[in-house]
């Protein structure tokens, strides 16, 4: 059986006309009969090309304000008829239905309409009915019909028409059918997620995909599904890798905690902050963040909550780092930072971050609300006789914000709004604390009057005892252990202050 098909007729009904003219001109050049509707029909006529209105085929006008145009047996019969089925062909002849070999559709922009803040009525009107039905019908009958289901496919389709003089292979038609059902399922997912308010259902679809150099390691394939251009403007450097993206995600979510604060700079490595400081100037914030762990900062991701100026850039430029993120850069700073060919420089745009988090687990997907709770003075309870001072309170809340974005089990040590050290991802909270103290000591931090934050409660007084012996006198933790009083008693005996937040911040 010859699976190559020569196109004789096409139905075109699209929202976006950009890039359509060359296709229409090519089809006309190849002698393909063109049927169309509404605005697309007018567009084709303006090109001086013959087009048959669908109304002439169906003997019905467009009705209900354009809601019904193509939903008719004379349209769908011509698409769905099986060319090798004699009964189908006989019925086409009986009812004077033309075979339709090409269907070109571009759907109403539902997602863009939702994003624009339009009224519900305007959004509902952008739910395409005829277009989605045409796509499904044409894709189903890929043995005989090629379906172009998005303006993103125009160039590829035009190349096929140009190269093969209007013929398509079964492999090409099947590939376009797969693309069509991808378009259809993505469209339906967007509609469902807009309308759904109550059902707990996992329905996510991403229309944009980037092929990464590899995954976490060179032997793993890696992809990113999503539109980074919505969040960042890339100014310089190589492409972001799988591991870069994980670190960038951690950096962006961490800095969200300090978005409107005084100049704050963070350095991240393997999704954890290895340095973070808040100062009067950004240069000071960067230098004190770097002092937190200059060894780990090598090859890290840097992020600022303020515009990066020349003075700060001069210091950053001395460090090998993978990515720099900021809301803006002075022209002098940008020119300097571009001095390293592969350094990735990003401007973070001011958009709302997703509020739901997903990750694969076993043979399914885990889903949860984002941890949007930030510990502050409105929710704390002083558990000890001694109250923390105002300076200690500032540092405790500062440490708690970092702790929330650090892998569990974690302990974070802070002094004067500077991360001294953290213990990250340990199986024991005691190990996490010992790791943090060892790092702080290694980098010459004096922990006297530093504060400690924990992402979960202390089941025993061992951590507060170790902290106290290191010079730490103020602690913030969730509380909630049946043995909380043991830690409280130790703090009271040693004149330490401890506050309970009532909120655990595990990050696995």
């Amino acid at each position: 059986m010859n699976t190559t098909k020569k196109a004789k007729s096409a139905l075109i009904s699209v929202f976006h006309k950009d890039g359509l003219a060359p296709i229409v001109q090519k089809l006309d050049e190849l002698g393909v009969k063109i049927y169309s509707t509404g605005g697309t029909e007018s567009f084709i006529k303006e090109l001086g090309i013959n087009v048959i209105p669908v109304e002439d085929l169906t003997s019905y006008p467009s009705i209900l304000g354009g809601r019904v145009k193509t939903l008719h047996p004379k349209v769908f019969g011509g698409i769905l008829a099986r060319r090798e089925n004699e009964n189908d062909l006989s019925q086409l002849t009986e009812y004077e239905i033309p075979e339709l070999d090409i269907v070109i559709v571009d759907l109403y922009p539902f997602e863009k309409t939702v994003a624009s803040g339009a009224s519900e009525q305007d959004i509902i009107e952008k739910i395409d009915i005829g277009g989605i039905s045409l796509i499904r019908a044409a894709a189903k009958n890929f043995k005989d019909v090629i379906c172009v289901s998005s303006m993103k496919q125009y160039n590829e389709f035009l190349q096929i028409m140009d190269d093969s003089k209007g013929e398509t292979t079964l492999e090409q038609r099947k590939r376009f059918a797969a693309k069509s059902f991808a378009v259809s399922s993505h469209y339906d997912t967007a509609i469902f997620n807009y309308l759904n308010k109550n059902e707990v259902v996992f329905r996510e679809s991403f229309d944009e995909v980037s092929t990464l150099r590899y995954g976490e390691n060179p032997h793993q394939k890696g992809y990113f599904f999503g539109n980074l251009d919505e969040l960042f403007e890339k100014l310089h450097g190589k492409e972001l890798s799988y591991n870069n993206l994980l670190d960038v995600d951690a950096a962006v979510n961490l800095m969200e905690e300090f978005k409107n604060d005084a100049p704050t700079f963070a350095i991240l490595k393997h999704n954890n902050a290895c340095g973070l400081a808040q100062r009067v100037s950004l240069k000071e914030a960067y230098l004190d963040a770097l002092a937190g762990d200059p060894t780990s900062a090598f090859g890290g991701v840097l992020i600022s909550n303020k515009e990066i100026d020349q003075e700060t850039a001069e210091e950053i430029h001395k460090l090998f780092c993978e990515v720099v993120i900021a809301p803006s850069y002075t022209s002098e700073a940008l020119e300097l930072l571009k001095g390293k060919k592969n350094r990735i420089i990003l401007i973070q745009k001011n958009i709302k971050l997703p509020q739901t988090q997903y990750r694969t687990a076993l043979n399914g997907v885990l889903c949860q609300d984002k941890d949007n709770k930030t510990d502050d003075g409105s929710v704390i309870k002083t558990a000890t006789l001694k109250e923390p001072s105002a300076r200690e309170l500032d540092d405790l809340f500062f440490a708690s914000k970092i702790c929330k974005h650090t892998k569990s089990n974690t302990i974070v040590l802070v002094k004067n709004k500077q991360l001294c050290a953290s213990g990250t991802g340990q199986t024991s909270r005691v190990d996490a604390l010992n790791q943090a103290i060892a790092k702080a000591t290694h980098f010459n931090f004096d922990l006297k009057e530093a504060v400690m934050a924990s992402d979960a409660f202390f089941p025993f007084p061992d951590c507060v005892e170790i902290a106290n012996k290191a010079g730490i006198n103020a602690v913030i933790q969730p509380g909630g252990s049946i043995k909380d009083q043991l830690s409280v008693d130790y703090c009271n005996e040693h004149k330490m202050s401890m506050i309970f937040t009532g909120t655990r911040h595990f990050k696995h």
Side-chain angles (χ1 to χ4, degrees):
M1 180 189 296
N2 182 16
T3 60
T4 299
K5 301 284 184 178
K6 176 79 171 179
K8 298 177 183 178
S9 61
L11 172 63
I12 307 176
S13 181
V14 302
F15 183 87
H16 292 102
K17 314 299 189 296
D18 298 345
L20 183 63
I23 290 175
V24 174
Q25 290 161 345
K26 175 54 68 175
L27 294 178
D28 183 59
E29 177 189 317
L30 294 169
V32 175
K33 188 180 292 186
I34 299 174
Y35 297 84
S36 192
T37 63
T40 308
E41 177 195 335
S42 300
F43 176 83
I44 295 171
K45 282 181 178 176
E46 288 172 7
L47 294 173
I49 291 171
N50 290 330
V51 57
I52 302 170
V54 165
E55 290 91 333
D56 290 358
L57 174 62
T58 63
S59 300
Y60 273 89
S62 171
I63 62 172
L64 307 182
R67 281 189 164 197
V68 180
K69 294 186 287 244
T70 57
L71 297 169
H72 193 280
K74 283 203 170 185
V75 174
F76 282 85
I79 296 170
L80 286 165
R82 293 158 291 189
R83 289 9 176 206
E84 76 283 2
N85 187 303
E86 290 186 8
N87 188 53
D88 284 9
L89 296 179
S90 174
Q91 288 186 320
L92 291 186
T93 301
E94 180 182 356
Y95 297 111
E96 299 180 333
I97 300 173
E99 295 178 15
L100 294 171
D101 308 312
I102 299 170
V103 173
I104 302 175
V105 175
D106 184 70
L107 298 169
Y108 292 158
F110 178 82
E111 288 178 283
K112 286 185 178 178
T113 306
V114 172
S116 73
S119 68
E120 181 172 89
Q121 186 55 45
D122 287 341
I123 291 169
I124 296 303
E125 288 306 316
K126 285 298 184 290
I127 298 177
D128 206 314
I129 303 302
I132 208 79
S133 301
L134 291 170
I135 286 172
R136 291 180 65 84
K140 175 177 179 175
N141 202 24
F142 66 82
K143 285 187 176 181
D144 299 303
V145 180
I146 187 165
C147 181
V148 181
S149 53
S150 166
M151 66 180 296
K152 295 176 183 178
Q153 300 162 21
Y154 287 177
N155 288 338
E156 184 181 356
F157 174 72
L158 179 60
Q159 190 65 53
I160 291 171
M161 291 293 100
D162 201 34
D163 291 345
S164 64
K165 305 293 190 290
E167 291 186 346
T168 58
T169 66
L170 179 60
E171 188 275 331
Q172 289 168 337
R173 295 192 298 276
K174 193 170 186 178
R175 188 172 76 251
F176 271 78
K179 293 174 184 282
S180 297
F181 283 113
V183 169
S184 172
S185 62
H186 179 81
Y187 198 76
D188 287 343
T189 296
I191 295 169
F192 169 78
N193 285 336
Y194 170 74
L195 293 174
N196 179 46
K197 305 299 179 188
N198 302 311
E199 296 295 322
V200 179
V201 178
F202 179 71
R203 293 285 187 277
E204 284 296 327
S205 177
F206 295 94
D207 206 25
E208 305 283 342
V209 60
S210 303
T211 300
L212 305 175
R213 294 194 299 276
Y214 47 79
E216 283 184 288
N217 301 289
H219 61 276
Q220 295 169 270
K221 291 182 179 178
Y223 306 91
F224 175 75
F225 292 90
N227 185 358
L228 287 174
D229 292 339
E230 291 179 344
L231 185 58
F232 300 112
E233 179 184 351
K234 184 182 173 192
L235 303 178
H236 182 72
K238 62 185 179 181
E239 293 303 312
L240 286 158
S241 70
Y242 184 99
N243 292 334
N244 287 156
L245 287 168
L246 289 174
D247 283 332
V248 167
D249 174 72
V252 166
N253 281 287
L254 171 60
M255 193 53 71
E256 188 76 8
E257 301 283 350
F258 305 96
K259 186 175 181 179
N260 300 313
D261 292 357
T264 307
F265 211 105
I267 304 171
L268 287 90
K269 196 72 172 289
H270 300 302
N271 309 158
N272 294 308
C274 60
L276 198 154
Q278 189 173 99
R279 293 291 181 260
V280 174
S281 75
L282 193 62
K283 177 184 174 181
E284 290 177 278
Y286 168 73
L287 289 174
D288 283 351
L290 180 64
D293 188 345
T295 302
S296 295
F298 183 86
V301 168
L302 281 57
I303 187 166
S304 164
N305 69 343
K306 303 294 182 186
E307 179 178 76
I308 292 182
D309 53 32
Q310 184 176 357
E311 278 193 332
T312 309
E314 286 171 352
E315 297 298 332
I316 293 171
H317 193 57
K318 299 172 185 176
L319 175 73
F320 168 73
C321 58
E322 289 275 336
V323 186
V324 182
I325 309 166
S328 59
Y329 304 80
T330 66
S331 56
E332 297 85 0
L334 182 58
E335 192 63 31
L336 185 60
L337 293 174
K338 284 182 176 181
K340 297 285 177 68
K341 182 177 70 172
N342 289 327
R343 180 185 284 150
I344 301 165
I345 304 174
L346 303 175
I347 287 179
Q348 183 182 345
K349 299 177 183 178
N350 187 24
I351 70 165
K352 189 175 181 182
L353 295 169
Q355 298 302 297
T356 306
Q357 297 174 320
Y358 308 103
R359 66 194 299 181
T360 59
L362 301 174
N363 60 345
V365 175
L366 288 168
C367 171
Q368 68 171 357
D369 296 335
K370 186 177 178 182
D371 182 1
N372 282 323
K373 202 159 188 180
T374 298
D375 299 328
D376 58 32
S378 65
V379 294
I380 64 166
K381 170 190 172 186
T382 302
T384 51
L385 297 174
K386 182 183 177 184
E387 296 268 355
S389 67
R391 181 197 64 78
E392 285 174 332
L393 267 179
D394 281 348
D395 275 353
L396 287 168
F397 294 138
F398 188 85
S400 178
K401 290 178 180 180
I402 302 171
C403 195
K404 171 182 165 183
H405 294 273
T406 307
K407 295 286 186 181
S408 300
N409 285 325
T410 187
I411 292 288
V412 169
L413 307 180
V414 162
K415 185 175 179 180
N416 298 325
K417 293 191 175 178
Q418 179 184 21
L419 173 62
C420 301
S422 57
T424 66
Q426 300 302 304
T427 53
S428 157
R429 203 162 302 280
V430 171
D431 288 344
L433 176 55
N434 284 328
Q435 181 192 56
I437 292 172
K439 283 189 70 174
T441 303
H442 177 72
F443 291 114
N444 300 315
F445 281 99
D446 179 3
L447 292 179
K448 187 178 180 182
E449 298 184 351
V451 305
M452 174 174 75
S454 173
D455 60 337
F457 60 64
F458 302 124
F460 302 103
D462 44 14
C463 280
V464 290
E465 181 179 354
I466 294 167
N468 175 245
K469 289 176 179 177
I472 295 163
N473 288 318
V475 181
I476 185 170
Q477 58 128 323
S481 169
I482 59 173
K483 296 183 178 180
D484 274 345
Q485 196 60 41
L486 295 176
S487 294
V488 172
D489 288 345
Y490 182 91
C491 288
N492 286 335
E493 289 169 14
H494 294 82
K495 295 183 173 53
M496 296 174 69
S497 63
M498 183 162 63
I499 58 177
F500 289 169
T501 65
T503 302
R504 188 183 74 185
H505 291 295
F506 271 164
K507 188 172 186 287
H508 284 79

